[in-house]
Amino acid sequence: MPRVVDVDERRNELAAAAARVIAREGIGGASMREVAAEAGWTTGTLVHYFTNKRDLLRFTLESSLERRRERRTDRAEMTAAEALRDTLVSALPLDDDSTLHWVVTVAFCSQAAGDSELATIQRDAYRSFRASVAGLIEAATGDRSDAALEEAERLITIVDGVALQALFDRDSWPPARQLAALDRGLAG
């Protein structure tokens, strides 16, 4: 009897392989053949799940963003201030998984410069993150939405700046220093 294949699971497995190839070789190096080999499958298997490289790349970006959202812990038992910090901590490249996400995100930012569909995906992800952070700030401080949105933008700018430095200079930006920089940003 043939084995039943979970299509979503296989697509996610292939997207994870694409993310690893992108992290290692850039988007240009993420050929269908290279991704299939990384996943341990044939190119024929890959094209069964993705019609072309563009389809695979779009799904890889969306999958990476979704995995980041899923990593956020349940914050129901936290105060709003604790949930805010936890949300921002989860956006830093503190471990292998979050570092991979950042490398993929940076690669796609470059690609999105000339691709309106990828740019829209990135823009919408930032808008959603900014709204989430602003909501947590409102809950923590009682600030009105304009002030909370401005503070969210300031804090996300800090996180992004720390993350980019940490990606390219891990020795100077270990997790403890990243967290300290975030905490200074939260304090002031």
Side-chain angles (χ1 to χ4, degrees):
M1 183 167 172
R3 193 172 77 109
V4 176
V5 175
D6 182 329
V7 173
D8 292 334
E9 182 180 323
R10 181 65 51 85
R11 284 175 58 88
N12 285 323
E13 179 183 328
L14 293 165
R20 291 189 303 272
V21 172
I22 290 167
R24 194 173 55 243
E25 300 179 31
I27 288 179
S31 68
M32 297 290 272
R33 181 177 318 169
E34 193 67 31
V35 171
E38 176 73 20
W41 298 99
T42 65
T43 305
T45 300
L46 184 62
V47 298
H48 179 72
Y49 295 96
F50 297 100
T51 56
N52 54 37
K53 180 178 175 178
R54 172 136 180 84
D55 186 30
L56 171 64
L57 291 177
R58 183 189 45 72
F59 186 82
T60 300
L61 173 58
E62 290 172 340
S63 177
S64 181
L65 292 167
E66 183 58 32
R67 279 194 313 277
R68 293 301 295 161
R69 285 187 286 270
E70 289 172 356
R71 275 190 68 166
R72 296 182 188 146
T73 60
D74 180 16
R75 298 180 177 106
E77 301 297 319
M78 295 180 184
T79 66
E82 290 168 338
L84 172 62
R85 183 181 187 277
D86 188 68
T87 297
L88 295 169
V89 166
S90 74
L92 290 169
L94 300 172
D95 58 25
D96 291 343
D97 184 57
S98 56
T99 298
L100 176 63
H101 167 75
W102 265 101
V103 171
V104 169
T105 296
V106 169
F108 275 105
C109 283
S110 173
Q111 192 76 12
D115 185 317
S116 62
E117 181 183 20
L118 295 177
T120 298
I121 293 168
Q122 293 277 31
R123 180 203 65 207
D124 291 349
Y126 261 105
R127 284 180 177 174
S128 175
F129 185 54
R130 187 172 53 235
S132 175
V133 171
L136 291 168
I137 291 167
E138 284 181 9
T141 65
D143 282 345
R144 67 187 194 340
S145 60
D146 287 347
L149 186 60
E150 288 177 15
E151 180 64 2
E153 290 169 346
R154 183 184 75 80
L155 291 170
I156 291 169
T157 299
I158 291 168
V159 167
D160 285 355
V162 168
L164 287 173
Q165 292 181 79
L167 282 180
F168 301 109
D169 189 1
R170 296 210 46 88
D171 291 338
S172 295
W173 285 92
R177 184 170 183 207
Q178 292 179 55
L179 293 170
L182 172 60
D183 288 336
R184 283 191 304 277
L186 284 166

